[in-house]
Every structure is written in C-alpha cells, then in structure tokens.
Amino acid sequence: MPIARSRPQTNLYYAMLFVGVVLVVFTVGYRLAGWSWSDALYMVVITAFSVGFGEVVPITDSWLRAWTIALILFGCTSIIFVTGTLVQWLTEAQIQRALGGKRMENEIEKLTQHAIICGFGRIGRMIAAQLQAGGIPFVIVDQAADRVAEVRDAGYLTLQGEATDEAVLKAAGIARARVLATVLPNDAANVFITLSARNMNPRIQIIARGEVPSTERKLLQAGANRVVLPAHIGADRIAHLILHPNARELLGTETKSRVEFEHHLTELGLDMEEIEISADSPWAHRRISDVEEESAGRLLAIAIMRKEGGTDLNPTPTSMLMPGDALVVMKRAMRR
C-alpha cells in the first residue's frame, strides 16, 4: 500500500516538533549532569545550530561526551529537517501559484460567448452566483489581491488587474465574449471600461453600473447597451412595496423565484399594481369584467384581496369588488 505524501505544512510541523523534543531532552540531560538550566540550554542551542563556540562547561566524563555527540547528530539533523521542509513549503507554494495561474489562463483562452464581470464587490458577487447557477461561463476581473483570492477559492475564473487596462480585457477574452458587466463603484472607471470594451469588440453587449443618474447618459454615449442604477432600483422597489404591499405577496416568499418572475415581467414591459377599492371608488360594487372593459385591455385582474381575509386568485368576470377589497392587476409598466 503506497504511503501518501505529507503536505509541506505537515512536514514543517513535524520538523518543528522534532527540534523542540531535541532541545528539551538534551537540556534536561545536561541539567541532570549538574549544569544550570541556562548553561544547559545554551549548550544545546549552540551545538544544534553548529555555531562553533567552545564548551560552556569543560566536558571530561565519557558519558557526557557521548551525550554531546548524540546532541550533535540529532541537533544538526533536526535543523536540516526544518530548513528542508521550509524550503519545500515555500517552493511548492510558488510552483502551485505559477501553475495555477497558467492553468487558469489556459481555461480562459478556451472560453467563447462568455461573460466578463469587472469588479467583485457586492454586486459582482451576486452576478457571479447567478451566472454560476445558470451555467453561464464567466471571468471576473479585479485588481485587489484579497478579492482575487476569494474568487479563486470560490472556484471562479479570474484575472488580477485593472479592468481599465485594454491588455487585461484582451486577456479576459473580450474579443470572444458575449457580454461584459462593469459594476465598479467608480462611475469614471465604468465609463472608461465601456469605451475600451466597445472599441475592442463592437458586437459585445455591455451592461454598466452607475452610481448617480447623470452618469447614465455618459455610459450610453460610451457604448453601453444597458445602464443599471442600483440605488434607483432599490428606492423604486422600496416605494413599490410601500405603495403596493399585497401585490408582491402573491409572488410568494421564495426570493430567487420572485426576483426571476419580476425580472421577466420587466422584460415584457409589465408590472403588478394594487388598487384599493374604497367606498367612493368608481369600481366599488362592480364586476371584474367592468374594470377590464373600461381599461380597454390595459389592465388584467389576477387577484382580489378580500377585506375579510382570503384571496381570490384568477377571479371570474362576474366577481364583485366590494369596499375595502384590494384588486391586484397586471398592467403595462411606465417607461422612465
């Protein structure tokens, strides 16, 4: 049965343990010979490290000379063991880093129709997780060493460097990529990356992040196909939840499914809205068919949240709307 090779860290641990045992055992031996603790430890250290100083206390006993000879053998061996394992550890780490980087470069060179994510912050992490779940190949570009290490630990392909550098984008396969998402928190950097990417690949789809609304026009002029303003989206969603809380409850509590559903609605130009039926509402004591006919097809009733509790999903045309109910409808989303 073959013996598994120990990792360099394990070898170094055992080497340090061996040195410690040698120091303790031989120090105790000299102490038993009548030496002081400081003289005994000093003798062991200078002998083990082959310093070449003279004897601390003249050694005349034959057994003490044999003990010193044993110290020379075990001490020098332990130090050589530590030095060898330390060199192995450092060398193997460098080799693994070099081979790992080369292997990653080779994998990136094989990619086609992939996505490039510039920036591995909060948004970059979420994008990577979604693409990974969707089976879309991608490369992450980031300049911070700690974030690059985090990306590699997660098993994603990555390049360390400035995404504003065209050489880095070229190494990420910009010419073969299908889409580039630049999600850095710096609007100026996102504009520059968009310009560079559009110049290097006129056919690529570019999705850019903007921090302030005034940057949206600049990013579009630079060549971005889509501009996402996270702060605006977050504020819009919070306001919608305040204005229409019951409409979102129909989508369930599963976050991922709800987000995907809302995304598809947005892509289709649709939105969900909740209409409160007050006592003086023109639709109070009227049928669903009346609401849909008067809206000329702009509204589609999908649920009635009853005042007394309960929900009528997919209500029939003859369902009556009563004061205190909430009508959930599908309508065309307003374009901004």
Side-chain angles (χ1 to χ4, degrees):
M1 180 178 179
I3 299 176
R5 187 182 62 168
S6 301
R7 295 178 301 175
Q9 297 92 330
T10 304
N11 290 340
L12 183 60
Y13 169 76
Y14 285 123
M16 296 297 294
L17 182 62
F18 184 32
V19 170
V21 171
V22 169
L23 292 177
V24 171
V25 170
F26 283 92
T27 299
V28 171
Y30 284 115
R31 174 59 181 168
L32 294 176
W35 294 23
S36 65
W37 284 111
S38 60
D39 287 345
L41 179 60
Y42 184 70
M43 180 66 180
V44 172
V45 171
I46 64 175
T47 304
F49 284 89
S50 304
V51 175
F53 292 165
E55 297 172 348
V56 177
V57 178
I59 300 175
T60 56
D61 295 339
S62 57
W63 76 268
L64 198 55
R65 288 184 176 181
W67 186 254
T68 304
I69 293 173
L71 170 60
I72 294 172
L73 295 176
F74 283 99
C76 292
T77 301
S78 65
I79 298 304
I80 293 173
F81 189 16
V82 169
T83 304
T85 53
L86 183 59
V87 171
Q88 179 191 11
W89 183 30
L90 297 176
T91 303
E92 186 167 318
Q94 293 294 332
I95 293 175
Q96 287 179 347
R97 187 177 297 110
L99 293 179
K102 185 63 178 177
R103 183 170 58 253
M104 188 164 294
E105 290 177 4
N106 292 335
E107 292 181 6
I108 293 174
E109 289 176 358
K110 297 176 183 177
L111 293 178
T112 57
Q113 294 299 302
H114 60 287
I116 299 175
I117 304 173
C118 300
F120 195 65
R122 290 174 297 176
I123 296 178
R125 288 181 178 88
M126 290 187 286
I127 295 173
Q130 292 289 336
L131 294 183
Q132 178 78 358
I136 303 299
F138 60 91
V139 179
I140 297 173
V141 178
D142 200 291
Q143 64 172 336
D146 56 339
R147 288 197 292 267
V148 170
E150 182 182 348
V151 174
R152 290 177 177 172
D153 291 341
Y156 302 148
L157 295 178
T158 181
L159 284 176
Q160 183 176 359
E162 286 278 2
T164 54
D165 187 349
E166 292 188 357
V168 175
L169 293 178
K170 183 177 179 181
I174 185 71
R176 307 182 307 276
R178 177 172 62 88
V179 60
L180 178 142
T182 174
V183 292
L184 298 173
N186 187 320
D187 283 358
N190 288 330
V191 171
F192 193 88
I193 293 170
T194 300
L195 281 169
S196 300
R198 179 59 66 204
N199 181 60
M200 298 176 71
N201 186 348
R203 299 178 304 277
I204 194 171
Q205 181 183 10
I206 300 176
I207 303 173
R209 168 188 177 181
E211 288 298 305
V212 295
S214 60
T215 308
E216 183 175 6
R217 180 176 56 84
K218 297 182 179 67
L219 287 167
L220 292 173
Q221 291 176 345
N225 300 95
R226 300 280 186 88
V227 177
V228 178
L229 303 173
H232 180 78
I233 293 175
D236 183 70
R237 177 168 175 78
I238 292 172
H240 201 106
L241 289 172
I242 294 173
L243 294 171
H244 312 292
N246 295 324
R248 292 314 187 207
E249 290 179 2
L250 293 176
L251 301 181
T253 57
E254 187 65 31
T255 302
K256 182 178 178 181
S257 300
R258 182 172 59 201
V259 171
E260 290 178 353
F261 183 73
E262 292 179 1
H263 173 73
H264 292 316
L265 287 181
T266 303
E267 289 293 322
L268 294 172
L270 300 175
D271 196 3
M272 292 180 65
E273 182 175 339
E274 175 190 342
I275 302 174
E276 297 288 344
I277 308 298
S278 59
D280 57 351
S281 172
W283 289 338
H285 303 288
R286 300 185 66 183
R287 295 177 299 180
I288 291 294
S289 58
D290 297 333
V291 176
E292 294 181 341
E293 289 175 5
E294 291 182 9
S295 66
R298 293 189 299 271
L299 298 179
L300 175 64
I302 61 175
I304 302 175
M305 315 289 287
R306 294 297 183 182
K307 177 182 179 181
E308 62 273 10
T311 302
D312 295 342
L313 293 174
N314 192 21
T316 63
T318 58
S319 297
M320 297 292 294
L321 293 172
M322 306 302 293
D325 291 344
L327 175 62
V328 180
V329 298
M330 196 80 71
K331 69 169 190 175
R332 293 182 181 276
M334 296 182 59
R335 298 186 179 277
R336 297 179 174 84

